[in-house]
Amino acid sequence: MSRTRHTENQFALDLGDDTPVNRAATESPEAVDNSQLLAHPDDTEALLGQWQQAGWIRPLDTGFARLIRELSEEQGDSPQPLVLLLAALTSHQVGRGHVCIDLATLLADAGQTLALPPEEPANTGLSESEVANLQGRYPQELLSRVQLTDCLAALQGSLAVSDGSVPAPLVLNGTRLYLRRFWRYEQRIAEGIQQRLALPSPLADPQSAASQTLSTALSKLFRSTAPVDYQKLACALAARNRFAVITGGPGTGKTTTVVNLLAALQAVAGESPERAGRKYRIRLAAPTGKAAARLNESIGGAVSKLPLADLPGSVKLEDIPTKVTTLHRLLGSRPDTRQFRHHRDNPLLVDILVIDEASMVDVDLMASVFDALPASAQLILLGDKDQLASVDAGAVLGELCQRALDAHYTPDTARWLAAITGAQVPDSLVDNSGQPLDQAVAMLRKSYRFGQDSGIRQLAESVNSSELTSQVLGQIRDAGFDDVIWLNGQTPKPDPDQTLELICHHAITGSPEAFRNAGLGRVVNGEVLPTPVGYRHYLEVIHSCDLTAGSPRAAWDAHAAEVLEAFNDFQVLCALRKGPWGVEGLNQRIAQQLLAEKLIDKTEGWYAGRPVLVTGNDYNLGLMNGDIGITFNVPWDRAANGEPKQTLRVAFPSGDSTGGIRWISPSRLQQLETVYAMTVHKSQGSEFNHTCLVLPDRLSPVLTKELVYTGITRAKDWFSLITGDAQVFKDSVGQQVVRASGLALRLGEQ
């Protein structure tokens, strides 16, 4: 069949008046027979074009369906309309974070699976009649008469689809349909894990010299008197495997655990005849600059506390790395390409790679990690399995940790752990049918940051278990916890304007009066905490500066470090980017309130006190995505008469755990945004003394228990909640991120 190539918005115009689609457009939605929309490729393409114009799907999705049709026709194949539809929907799901689309799930509930139409339609300029016509063409209505056998038959009969053994744009694996690229990513990750789990370990025999060295090292590194030290168990388990995962919530000691693990591994290396005393080459990485900086700060202190003199194997301080880099920098980013400098033909020179905040790593980047690792290299993933998944496609850490809560250690693994650590694994964590992956996943179960009476801890645990009891809700409404408040929790549906004003007031002051005892006298770990603060605090620190042009640069650095620390005392987090409840709206409102209270002198452009968030890696400036800086007026330039002249500079932490400051001219900063409010996604890898989570006045698919949990656990000392609708908070906890993927199934089949 000959066919004219259509542009993205011309499908309906170019088809002609006698096509079924054009006839349907003049009829009422009730009169439309949806089956005709899958009768001819032209009809299906026109429908996809309408969905795109309505903002339901992306141009990329319609373009991919068009590509499938063109490739099919070039090969003499007659493209099936159902294949074109499924191709576009698979692409759409990748854009929503899914690795694939499960056809059985799709046909069972297309509306829930696809989240189409979106709850908040895009402002597309469609006429009322065009919008009305779309109401009869929802995906769930279109697919209501389609059977799974229809989908499988159409896909299996298409040259654009394969089982992965031959190149094709789409891959069908069981009932899962993938874009080929993402099928390959998942395959690489699964193969990399399986290959490492299958490698023999010199520690497999608990009586071997290596195992005895490990046992001795762990006994020196861990002095806990608890019946079961889960950090110690995690170290032993990770040391035995070439692939390991250590997961745990905030304050469970993931950094301490991995530092002790690296010291124990270097002790074993020093005693190993095979390595002739050579220590392991170890690299530390994180997905974002902010996460790397945080690990940099924490790992240096942890390494300095290691009892190296007591360890076997002559472990020295320099054997334990303290420098953390981003994964992109480690792998060697190349501009304008997905490819990295390090890959299978140019692997990393590393024996052990540790990746922190692994929940933020998508399938694309994780596949690149496995490509760049030598086959014998050990990979250790750290992260909180309950946090938000990566922004891009996949939820790798979450899938790997699906069975972590109950462990599923085999009796052999339990006996080995007992021999190495001296601790008996609880019977509830032992399973005769444990899978190989289970034997490489360790979960830390004790929080050292939050006490049993901590409201932050209890609220996070309630959210994580999807059980917001009336007792917990009552306590956060009535300041029943020392450290948690729900500022407008007593009003189920507060007035939107009043709530937005409340957010601005809270952002400035921190509302200490709303906390129990006004936040006074709270003692944690023997220290009295300062009362909760808002953004006025850091701006007052800026204004208190008495430095002059003659002051040494070190004094300016110290002042900037003090301001940056003060800014870290409070942060507003949002679920959304756009709208009055999102980052864009709240940043503007908070800035206007700060201006009204004369804490800043303008709200647009650059001004002293403006906090900024870097939104992209800039290797030339040494700035990473997630870095936060504060703008200062400094008298370092000179006017024509030689007098000091005020100029703006943005101060960023050096990010290397030295406490240094980098001063950068605003004109050199390209990818950034004001950060009085940031999204919960952007906050991952960060921690603030006082965190305020803002939830909107209506439920949306992005509002999930993972988002709420992540927002709560960014708080170190104080947490406040403000909602546009109390029910939205409760309903958000009932929604869970479930990303379609086949990784766990692949690993479970090994």
Side-chain angles (χ1 to χ4, degrees):
M1 180 184 77
S2 62
R3 177 177 172 272
T4 302
R5 185 186 296 260
H6 296 283
T7 59
E8 291 170 359
N9 294 316
Q10 288 178 324
F11 293 126
L13 296 175
D14 292 349
L15 288 174
D17 291 338
D18 59 343
T19 64
V21 168
N22 284 329
R23 288 200 308 272
T26 64
E27 300 171 2
S28 66
E30 293 77 14
V32 175
D33 178 4
N34 284 322
S35 62
Q36 68 185 358
L37 299 175
L38 292 176
H40 193 278
D42 287 347
D43 300 342
T44 306
E45 268 200 17
L47 177 67
L48 293 175
Q50 292 172 340
W51 286 357
Q52 176 194 318
Q53 191 178 2
W56 293 8
I57 61 177
R58 306 168 298 171
L60 182 65
D61 307 329
T62 56
F64 182 64
R66 193 162 56 246
L67 172 66
I68 294 296
R69 179 174 184 176
E70 291 171 354
L71 291 175
S72 298
E73 291 174 347
E74 287 173 5
Q75 298 179 53
D77 188 20
S78 178
Q80 291 286 327
L82 186 55
V83 173
L84 303 186
L85 177 68
L86 294 175
L89 295 181
T90 302
S91 175
H92 164 74
Q93 289 298 82
V94 167
R96 296 183 59 236
H98 299 273
V99 178
C100 61
I101 189 168
D102 185 275
L103 301 175
T105 303
L106 171 68
L107 296 178
D109 191 345
Q112 178 69 26
T113 302
L114 301 169
L116 292 177
E119 291 188 3
E120 296 186 9
N123 184 16
T124 60
L126 291 177
S127 67
E128 291 184 8
S129 62
E130 288 171 323
V131 173
N133 284 333
L134 278 175
Q135 291 176 1
R137 302 175 180 190
Y138 291 171
Q140 54 267 43
E141 295 165 347
L142 194 64
L143 294 169
S144 62
R145 302 180 187 180
V146 176
Q147 301 296 316
L148 180 59
T149 52
D150 300 331
C151 293
L152 297 177
L155 293 167
Q156 290 165 353
S158 172
L159 295 177
V161 185
S162 79
D163 61 1
S165 59
V166 295
L170 291 163
V171 173
L172 181 63
N173 185 277
T175 62
R176 299 188 301 277
L177 184 62
Y178 296 81
L179 304 184
R180 180 173 178 82
R181 181 160 60 92
F182 287 88
W183 175 79
R184 291 179 62 202
Y185 292 155
E186 188 174 278
Q187 188 179 45
R188 286 183 212 164
I189 295 169
E191 288 175 349
I193 293 173
Q194 289 168 336
Q195 176 254 328
R196 281 169 173 78
L197 293 180
L199 289 173
S201 170
L203 299 169
D205 179 5
Q207 302 304 318
S208 68
S211 293
Q212 292 301 307
T213 300
L214 174 65
S215 181
T216 301
L218 292 179
S219 67
K220 299 293 185 181
L221 291 164
F222 293 96
R223 308 285 182 150
S224 172
T225 57
V228 180
D229 186 336
Y230 287 101
Q231 291 187 358
K232 190 175 182 180
L233 287 182
C235 277
L237 206 65
R240 189 177 68 157
N241 295 284
R242 299 292 178 89
F243 174 79
V245 179
I246 299 175
T247 184
T252 52
K254 293 185 290 292
T255 302
T256 300
T257 301
V258 78
V259 166
N260 286 352
L261 168 62
L262 298 181
L265 286 169
Q266 293 293 38
V268 173
E271 297 280 302
S272 171
E274 293 81 5
R275 297 194 60 82
R278 290 181 293 108
K279 297 298 191 290
Y280 290 114
R281 295 168 298 182
I282 303 173
R283 298 296 301 272
L284 308 174
T288 67
K290 185 66 176 178
R294 268 201 68 201
L295 184 59
N296 249 331
E297 294 167 2
S298 60
I299 207 164
V303 169
S304 66
K305 298 175 184 177
L306 287 171
L308 297 181
D310 298 336
L311 298 182
S314 303
V315 182
K316 299 181 178 62
L317 196 61
E318 57 267 26
D319 296 331
I320 315 298
T322 56
K323 183 178 180 181
V324 186
T325 186
T326 64
L327 276 174
H328 285 85
R329 175 166 282 178
L330 174 73
L331 297 175
S333 292
R334 297 165 59 189
D336 304 319
T337 176
R338 285 194 185 90
Q339 305 301 314
F340 293 99
R341 287 195 301 273
H342 289 289
H343 44 72
R344 291 186 180 183
D345 297 325
N346 181 31
L348 293 163
L349 295 175
V350 63
D351 298 311
I352 300 172
L353 173 62
V354 178
I355 301 177
D356 193 24
E357 297 290 351
S359 63
M360 301 167 67
V361 183
D362 58 69
V363 288
D364 185 347
L365 188 54
M366 190 66 79
S368 297
V369 169
F370 278 101
D371 266 355
L373 279 178
S376 61
Q378 185 172 3
L379 177 62
I380 300 165
L381 303 182
L382 300 179
D384 186 345
K385 67 180 180 63
D386 298 314
Q387 277 193 39
L388 279 169
S390 57
V391 174
D392 294 318
V396 178
L397 185 75
E399 280 203 87
L400 297 176
C401 296
Q402 283 181 0
R403 291 159 56 91
L405 182 62
D406 295 323
H408 300 279
Y409 298 141
T410 63
D412 284 345
T413 297
R415 284 190 291 269
W416 184 88
L417 286 170
I420 298 298
T421 67
Q424 191 67 39
V425 176
D427 291 342
S428 60
L429 303 183
V430 179
D431 179 1
N432 287 316
S433 303
Q435 300 172 1
L437 177 62
D438 298 330
Q439 317 314 306
V441 178
M443 180 174 171
L444 306 179
R445 300 166 190 267
K446 178 181 178 181
S447 176
Y448 296 88
R449 180 185 305 170
F450 303 119
Q452 290 296 330
D453 60 345
S454 164
I456 295 174
R457 173 178 181 160
Q458 293 182 54
L459 180 58
E461 288 177 349
S462 295
V463 166
N464 204 21
S465 63
S466 300
E467 294 180 1
L468 274 176
T469 64
S470 57
Q471 179 183 0
V472 170
L473 290 172
Q475 284 185 281
I476 62 174
R477 279 195 185 104
D478 304 329
F481 294 116
D482 288 340
D483 52 349
V484 175
I485 54 170
W486 186 355
L487 278 167
N488 58 347
Q490 299 286 2
T491 308
K493 291 187 178 181
D495 177 80
D497 289 334
Q498 291 180 359
T499 302
L500 292 171
E501 289 179 11
L502 172 65
I503 294 169
C504 291
H505 170 78
H506 182 61
I508 303 237
T509 67
S511 306
E513 71 283 353
F515 286 86
R516 181 190 284 181
N517 300 325
L520 294 168
R522 185 166 165 235
V523 179
V524 175
N525 296 328
E527 295 185 4
V528 179
L529 293 181
T531 56
V533 297
Y535 291 133
R536 175 183 284 135
H537 172 56
Y538 92 91
L539 289 166
E540 288 177 343
V541 175
I542 289 181
H543 299 326
S544 68
C545 176
D546 58 0
L547 299 175
T548 65
S551 300
R553 184 61 64 91
W556 282 99
D557 287 354
H559 174 59
E562 183 183 9
V563 172
L564 285 162
E565 184 177 357
F567 182 79
N568 206 49
D569 283 338
F570 179 79
Q571 183 65 57
V572 174
L573 301 181
C574 303
L576 308 176
R577 281 205 58 81
K578 299 184 181 298
W581 302 94
V583 166
E584 294 178 3
L586 286 180
N587 268 322
Q588 186 176 14
R589 276 181 171 268
I590 293 170
Q592 290 169 347
Q593 186 65 33
L594 289 169
L595 177 65
E597 300 201 16
K598 298 182 180 180
L599 291 167
I600 57 176
D601 56 18
K602 58 191 294 190
T603 62
E604 301 294 333
W606 289 98
Y607 53 87
R610 181 190 178 191
V612 293
L613 175 75
V614 176
T615 57
N617 294 339
D618 189 329
Y619 295 105
N620 292 325
L621 294 178
L623 295 177
M624 299 293 114
N625 183 11
D627 285 349
I628 291 178
I630 305 290
T631 311
F632 289 80
N633 244 332
V634 293
W636 296 342
D637 286 357
R638 295 284 174 178
N641 61 4
E643 292 296 316
K645 183 177 77 171
Q646 295 287 333
T647 187
L648 292 172
R649 291 289 184 272
V650 186
F652 289 92
S654 61
D656 57 5
S657 73
T658 63
I661 297 294
R662 289 168 293 175
W663 296 90
I664 298 176
S665 171
S667 63
R668 301 185 66 193
L669 297 170
Q670 303 299 320
Q671 301 180 72
L672 53 82
E673 58 189 26
T674 302
V675 70
Y676 297 118
M678 71 166 68
T679 63
V680 175
H681 265 291
K682 283 289 186 183
S683 74
Q684 288 191 97
S686 301
E687 180 182 273
F688 308 96
N689 289 343
H690 180 188
T691 296
C692 171
L693 177 62
V694 174
L695 296 180
D697 60 351
R698 66 182 65 181
L699 195 63
S700 105
V702 304
L703 295 171
T704 62
K705 77 169 187 177
E706 289 85 359
L707 181 138
V708 176
Y709 170 83
T710 302
I712 295 168
T713 55
R714 297 312 89 204
K716 181 181 177 182
D717 297 324
W718 311 95
F719 175 76
S720 47
L721 175 68
I722 301 178
T723 56
D725 185 331
Q727 191 61 41
V728 168
F729 173 46
K730 303 170 190 174
D731 291 345
S732 297
V733 174
Q735 295 192 142
Q736 187 172 357
V737 174
V738 180
R739 289 190 168 178
S741 168
L743 180 60
L745 290 171
R746 286 175 186 265
L747 294 171
E749 294 166 355
Q750 60 183 319

